[in-house]
Amino acid sequence: MAGLLFSLVALAVSVQCKNIIDLTGNSWTLTDQQGNVSIPGSVPSYSQLDLFAAGVIGDPLVGDNDVFDNWVGTSNWTYTSHPIAGLKHNTSTYLVFEGIDTFATISFCNTTVAAVNNQFRQWIFDVTSILASCPTPNPVLSLAFTAAPIEAAYLGNPNVTETSCLACLEVAYYYPGREFIRKQQSDFGWDWSPAFSPTGIWQPAYIVQLAPVSDIYVTNSMVDIYRQGQLNNIPPDQTQPWIVNASIDYIGELPKGATLKATILDPSGAPLVSGPLVGVTIANGTITGSVTVKGSPKLWWPIGYGAQTLYSMTLEIVASHTVLASVPKRVGFRTIVLNQSPISPAQEALGIAPGANWHFEINGNEIFAKGSNMVPPDPFWTRVTKADFQTLFETAVAGNQNMLRVWASGAYLPDYAYDLADEMGLMLWTELQFSDATYPIAGPFVENVLAEAAYQVRRLNHHPSLAVWCGNNEIEVGLADIGGANPPPALVELYEGLFLDSLLHAVWDQTRSISYTPSSVTNGYLSLDHSAALPMVERYENLTAGSVYGDTDYYDYDADIAFNLSTYPVGRFAAEFGFHSQPSYETYAAVLPASELSFNSSSILARNHHYPVNVTTFFSSYSDPPMPGNRTDRSLQGMGEMSTAAEMWLPSVAKKDPTSNFKAQIYATQIFQSEFYRSQIAFYRRGSGLPQRTLGSLYWMLNDIWAAPTWASVEYGGRWKMLHYGTKDIYEPVIIAPYHDAGTGDVQVWVTSDLWSPVKGTAQIQWYNWAGEALGNGTANMKAPLTVGKVNSTKVFEFNTFNITFPLTDAVAVLTVAVSGGGKSYTHTHRFYAQSLATPEVVSNIQNPNITVTHSGTNTFIVESKTLAAFVWLDLPAGVTGYFSDNGFWMLPGKKTVSFTVQHDTTAGKWSKSVTVDSLWTLATSA
């Protein structure tokens, strides 16, 4: 039979006899447009993946293939279907593409249909007339792609009216010109990412044929749940009833009298809403209506603050008692607001510094956002699965996180990711896909991004986990880098034209339940007026001395000041901060040959994308270059920064064996990274009880996209770095932490709680030497009762290291807190040491703890140490991922039991016999 028939898909959304042909599968051919390559292709897929499957190129993530095979990302490719059978030639016919990446000319039956130019849009084309005149019963569909770097270079020409922009600037990576294209920006490279610039039909695609009478096909839908009278960005009246506004987008024609019905069932199956919506309107392929909910639905809460109550909802388009379309949803009732309003007199009376708020409120309650920033889990979205997100989100929750920032310059996440977040109670700060550049405001470009934003907002808005829509990543702070309070007018025009004049309305026109902020790092607004032509007027750097505004990011790679608290930013919310480290030996070994497994090998240097170059950017704090560049230069920044930090703060005795030396270097970079983040997170959390009233900490970054030196706390493949264990600990609901001024010797010890109930209990300090023996006959020990209020901090101890009578080179303070509140008990342990662990006198006092690890029962281990042991690290062999109940911990002489949660295991359980252990002693000895 000529050609492979496409399968028919029966969608139970209509009683009409529509014909839907699913175009996914392997019934495609991929060719380069020079005619040199012709291989089987698939949908959804990317050219790199199909070429890899056909043996034309190697695994893109192995070795140096990202460099050697980068010709794929700069080549033009064509996907051509096999002949498509089963079509009716005299009926309404549409091509429906859920996602095309990115620039393609679409042809059907040898006739040009359209050219597409946006990865993030749904594309729908009426091909009724083309099919009607098609001479063959089984037509062919083809998409001829232009490589994104080639198209970006073309669109960057100021004479191209579609994107004309003389003032556009960018932080440049591998390929320039990403600001002119609507494609995942990190596909052009980033300081943690390869630059594959993939091409392909990356989402499902269909041919839809409608019946002659009263037949429709649903293309999108939206549900917006808010309190009556609620307006975006303003905390609503929690006593008002709930409003449910719903709509369905469709192609086809609705008969007269069509209406919209909704049913919302509570978890027990009882109806909360049932019947026709009111105020139904039909326009431009969308039917919309609303209903006021009677009664008090159970609320959805983030993890740790209540239940994640979800309701089943069904939207139906009905005409003459016939259901034309039915759309299932799962929704939650909650209000979540990014509050950026001015600090009120009542707040000032509580000791909060004047300025403006910058925090999230859930169902009327201030919440401390604990979490991280996430990037794409893989360079190729078509091989990312729901199971991948399940594992990633479980990892975040296990790390005591309640919010993830879906960072701009990746892609909008699939619905199933938000479904999982809804279930787990993870709030998802969601960004429109613009980052570190100024973008065109030419008419065609803006029209394109408005269609993108409207589609994505409507698709995702019903999820209770959706926390905020943010216009971009770091662009507003970039303007401040250039001009302070007065950035160049041309750049302000670009910024406000896109993010305040256009995209703000793209969000607000669709939803009343979700706040919008134009940029991830911002000092907030000067004024907010929903009735004004420009509703939001930004503050930029027009600040008042003594006042506190906005959220911050912080990157400083000078290891000398890493733990100097005065260098950390003081703000209402910490949106980004971090330092890079190496991934594990096992993660490297999976993709690099043994000859390249050393700290500054050519392959690892090539994967370090954090290094300097002379390029023109508009962010003075960023200078990341096009790569590959000079590999020698890469050791100066990135690799050199990690080495310097580890050597400055940790023992660095060389090992006799090269492999042991490499593993020790990895271990040291991960220790420093974890300690640096712990210091900052504790600082920001303490700020909840200080005048700055800091109410959020999102570190950079949660996950990796490949095996490389990056800022991630979880490696590609799912292994936890020490960082993830460190942040898990410092994100506990109640923590105790020391705050040290090395210059004066002053130390303060604070207890912080993010709970909504006050807690009471006891805190204490006990001093030990490195042998694990109590010091000073207890004269320096302290114990005190304490109370911590709702989302607050309390100082419990104060002392000066210069007054300590025993040598600080052989002294560690163990801090503990035990409290109760809200019917639960909480404990936390921290430690304090006054000098760098690299100080020779300290190193000479570190003793061999002779640690043993005993496998005791299913996934349970007993760790025993003979002395005080620091950074005890249980390392996993290859073939298993998951997490220990604790790791990277400090322990006094004695035993500690830890358990392990398996996420993936290919060893049939044999991994448990190959767990190894390291401690600070590993770095202090040459063995």
Side-chain angles (χ1 to χ4, degrees):
M1 186 168 66
L4 182 65
L5 297 182
F6 287 87
S7 62
L8 298 181
V9 178
L11 299 183
V13 297
S14 173
V15 298
Q16 302 299 324
C17 189
K18 63 170 58 67
N19 183 29
I20 301 177
I21 303 213
D22 188 350
L23 299 176
T24 62
N26 300 320
S27 302
W28 293 79
T29 299
L30 175 66
T31 57
D32 70 337
Q33 291 170 15
Q34 289 74 42
N36 300 320
V37 178
S38 180
I39 61 168
S42 57
V43 172
S45 190
Y46 283 109
S47 55
Q48 283 93 340
L49 298 183
D50 289 332
L51 290 165
F52 174 41
V56 177
I57 64 173
D59 186 332
L61 295 182
V62 169
D64 293 335
N65 289 343
D66 63 303
V67 175
F68 296 141
D69 292 327
N70 68 353
W71 60 272
V72 178
T74 57
S75 298
N76 297 330
W77 298 94
T78 297
Y79 277 90
T80 304
S81 76
H82 295 190
I84 303 170
L87 292 174
K88 304 172 184 177
H89 283 236
N90 293 299
T91 191
S92 297
T93 304
Y94 298 86
L95 298 178
V96 178
F97 295 93
E98 300 297 341
I100 298 172
D101 189 2
T102 294
F103 298 97
T105 298
I106 302 171
S107 298
F108 186 55
C109 193
N110 293 319
T111 303
T112 299
V113 176
V116 295
N117 60 353
N118 190 321
Q119 177 185 354
F120 309 120
R121 286 180 62 177
Q122 178 191 59
W123 296 100
I124 301 172
F125 303 104
D126 187 339
V127 292
T128 305
S129 60
I130 294 176
L131 184 58
S133 59
C134 186
T136 175
N138 300 331
V140 168
L141 175 66
S142 72
L143 284 81
F145 286 87
T146 300
I150 295 173
E151 190 71 17
Y154 165 72
L155 294 172
N157 185 329
N159 294 321
V160 177
T161 57
E162 183 180 347
T163 53
S164 178
C165 186
L166 288 171
C168 281
L169 298 169
E170 66 172 324
V171 176
Y173 292 97
Y174 193 109
Y175 301 113
R178 59 183 171 79
E179 70 269 31
F180 302 109
I181 63 175
R182 296 309 303 138
K183 175 177 175 57
Q184 179 164 291
Q185 303 283 270
S186 59
D187 283 348
F188 273 32
W190 219 266
D191 53 4
W192 44 265
S193 171
F196 289 114
S197 187
T199 288
I201 306 169
W202 75 296
Q203 298 276 21
Y206 308 94
I207 295 178
V208 176
Q209 296 193 299
L210 301 180
V213 180
S214 300
D215 198 9
I216 61 172
Y217 175 82
V218 173
T219 59
N220 201 4
S221 58
M222 195 185 92
V223 175
D224 193 29
I225 299 177
Y226 53 89
R227 293 287 189 179
Q228 185 171 289
Q230 183 173 347
L231 294 174
N232 308 80
N233 294 62
I234 298 175
D237 182 348
Q238 297 294 332
T239 68
Q240 292 297 310
W242 292 100
I243 305 296
V244 177
N245 184 274
S247 58
I248 294 177
D249 304 327
Y250 60 90
I251 51 177
E253 295 293 331
L254 288 181
K256 291 183 178 180
T259 190
L260 191 60
K261 295 179 62 177
T263 302
I264 301 179
L265 303 179
D266 69 18
S268 70
L272 180 70
V273 171
S274 181
L277 301 184
V278 300
V280 173
T281 61
I282 300 173
N284 302 316
T286 298
I287 182 170
T288 301
S290 64
V291 64
T292 301
V293 177
K294 296 180 180 180
S296 300
K298 293 181 180 179
L299 301 180
W300 182 94
W301 298 94
I303 183 73
Y305 293 93
Q308 289 75 59
T309 305
L310 297 169
Y311 289 80
S312 297
M313 180 177 185
T314 303
L315 282 174
E316 293 178 328
I317 302 177
V318 180
S320 300
H321 306 292
T322 299
V323 177
L324 302 180
S326 179
V327 178
K329 294 279 189 183
R330 196 177 56 176
V331 300
F333 289 82
R334 61 88 181 96
T335 64
I336 186 165
V337 176
L338 174 56
N339 187 343
Q340 296 176 304
S341 63
I343 296 294
S344 68
Q347 287 179 297
E348 288 195 47
L350 295 174
I352 298 175
N357 290 284
W358 211 107
H359 66 262
F360 290 89
E361 296 179 11
I362 182 78
N363 297 325
N365 296 273
E366 293 180 345
I367 189 171
F368 194 101
K370 301 183 298 186
S372 56
N373 294 259
M374 66 170 297
V375 300
D378 192 278
F380 306 103
W381 275 101
T382 57
R383 61 185 185 185
V384 177
T385 66
K386 184 176 182 179
D388 294 329
F389 273 99
Q390 179 87 33
T391 299
L392 187 61
F393 287 0
E394 285 177 354
T395 297
V397 170
N400 290 315
Q401 301 186 27
N402 60 32
M403 176 177 280
L404 297 178
R405 176 175 166 231
V406 184
W407 173 78
S409 294
Y412 302 93
L413 299 189
D415 276 280
Y416 63 69
Y418 287 84
D419 284 335
L420 290 168
D422 294 342
E423 296 166 8
M424 296 183 188
L426 275 174
M427 298 175 286
L428 297 182
W429 164 332
T430 303
E431 299 191 340
L432 303 173
Q433 298 302 316
F434 302 87
S435 184
D436 290 342
T438 50
Y439 289 81
I441 54 173
F445 184 87
V446 172
E447 181 181 357
N448 194 4
V449 300
L450 287 177
E452 164 195 327
Y455 171 70
Q456 297 293 348
V457 171
R458 292 179 63 76
R459 179 176 69 88
L460 296 173
N461 193 77
H462 67 282
H463 291 284
S465 57
L466 178 63
V468 67
W469 280 106
C470 178
N472 69 74
N473 169 62
E474 294 182 326
I475 300 177
E476 192 166 309
V477 73
L479 300 182
D481 280 348
I482 294 175
N486 298 293
L491 297 184
V492 173
E493 180 182 3
L494 292 176
Y495 179 78
E496 295 190 347
L498 187 57
F499 298 108
L500 292 171
D501 287 346
S502 299
L503 289 175
L504 177 148
H505 292 289
V507 174
W508 283 9
D509 287 351
Q510 303 298 333
T511 174
R512 295 172 71 173
S513 65
I514 301 298
S515 300
Y516 172 83
T517 186
S519 193
S520 66
V521 182
T522 171
N523 287 316
Y525 55 76
L526 279 172
S527 65
L528 183 68
D529 182 354
H530 285 73
S531 64
L534 186 66
M536 188 179 290
V537 177
E538 288 294 87
R539 179 175 283 107
Y540 299 119
E541 295 298 300
N542 297 296
L543 312 177
T544 300
S547 297
V548 180
Y549 306 92
D551 63 330
T552 64
D553 66 3
Y554 175 74
Y555 296 95
D556 196 317
Y557 300 99
D558 181 356
D560 187 56
I561 61 171
F563 303 104
N564 184 337
L565 304 183
S566 68
T567 65
Y568 300 164
V570 174
R572 305 291 188 190
F573 194 107
E576 276 192 49
F577 52 92
F579 198 98
H580 43 305
S581 73
Q582 293 273 37
S584 66
Y585 183 90
E586 288 76 13
T587 294
Y588 271 141
V591 296
L592 297 179
S595 60
E596 291 296 300
L597 297 179
S598 61
F599 195 81
N600 281 325
S601 71
S602 61
S603 291
I604 290 177
L605 284 176
R607 287 167 178 256
N608 166 39
H609 290 182
H610 174 57
Y611 51 97
V613 75
N614 293 322
V615 296
T616 302
T617 74
F618 77 102
F619 291 120
S620 62
S621 60
Y622 286 78
S623 55
D624 300 86
M627 47 171 270
N630 185 317
R631 292 190 176 188
T632 302
D633 291 342
R634 299 182 189 190
S635 64
L636 303 179
Q637 189 169 344
M639 306 301 287
E641 290 165 349
M642 287 187 290
S643 297
T644 299
E647 292 170 4
M648 183 174 293
W649 294 100
L650 297 165
S652 56
V653 178
K655 313 302 170 199
K656 298 175 183 178
D657 172 65
T659 299
S660 297
N661 209 48
F662 183 40
K663 289 183 176 180
Q665 290 170 324
I666 291 172
Y667 174 57
T669 68
Q670 291 201 13
I671 290 175
F672 174 81
Q673 182 191 39
S674 179
E675 289 294 277
F676 189 27
Y677 283 57
R678 283 169 56 89
S679 176
Q680 287 191 67
I681 291 172
F683 177 84
Y684 300 133
R685 291 194 65 185
R686 179 182 68 160
S688 66
L690 293 172
Q692 59 261 36
R693 186 59 174 162
T694 306
L695 289 176
S697 162
L698 306 179
Y699 67 82
W700 185 266
M701 58 193 195
L702 173 63
N703 59 304
D704 251 335
I705 200 169
W706 67 332
T710 76
W711 293 251
S713 65
V714 179
E715 299 171 12
Y716 185 78
R719 294 174 70 95
W720 288 28
K721 289 184 180 178
M722 189 176 293
L723 171 59
H724 205 76
Y725 289 103
T727 57
K728 173 182 182 289
D729 175 75
I730 209 66
Y731 274 152
E732 289 285 346
V734 179
I735 63 166
I736 187 169
Y739 303 87
H740 181 212
D741 185 327
T744 65
D746 290 332
V747 179
Q748 295 182 359
V749 177
W750 288 64
V751 173
T752 300
S753 169
D754 58 46
L755 300 170
W756 286 344
S757 298
V759 294
K760 295 182 179 181
T762 303
Q764 64 178 352
I765 300 175
Q766 295 172 295
W767 288 89
Y768 299 88
N769 63 18
W770 283 98
E773 302 163 337
L775 284 173
N777 297 317
T779 57
N781 292 350
M782 298 180 178
K783 187 173 183 178
L786 66 102
T787 300
V788 186
K790 174 182 177 180
V791 193
N792 221 311
S793 287
T794 298
K795 182 171 66 177
V796 289
F797 300 119
E798 217 170 352
F799 62 90
N800 189 285
T801 57
F802 298 156
N803 298 329
I804 300 294
T805 57
F806 39 77
L808 293 176
T809 55
D810 193 17
V812 174
V814 177
L815 320 176
T816 58
V817 61
V819 296
S820 60
K824 295 183 179 180
S825 297
Y826 305 88
T827 61
H828 186 249
T829 302
H830 210 305
R831 70 272 175 182
F832 167 72
Y833 46 93
Q835 300 192 12
S836 163
L837 298 178
T839 305
E841 293 80 4
V842 174
V843 176
S844 67
N845 285 315
I846 298 172
Q847 300 188 24
N848 184 355
N850 293 301
I851 299 176
T852 59
V853 179
T854 305
H855 186 214
S856 175
T858 304
N859 300 339
T860 301
F861 300 84
I862 297 175
V863 184
E864 184 171 6
S865 176
K866 303 300 183 183
T867 69
L868 173 65
F871 307 114
V872 178
W873 182 246
L874 303 178
D875 206 5
L876 296 167
V880 63
T881 57
Y883 52 91
F884 290 97
S885 55
D886 199 2
N887 208 357
F889 51 82
W890 290 49
M891 64 181 295
L892 290 167
K895 296 180 179 180
K896 179 182 176 74
T897 300
V898 297
S899 60
F900 184 77
T901 299
V902 177
Q903 292 178 312
H904 301 286
D905 179 19
T906 61
T907 73
K910 295 178 182 179
W911 64 270
S912 60
K913 298 179 181 180
S914 302
V915 173
T916 60
V917 64
D918 287 295
S919 71
L920 189 63
W921 174 252
T922 302
L923 302 180
T925 179
S926 61

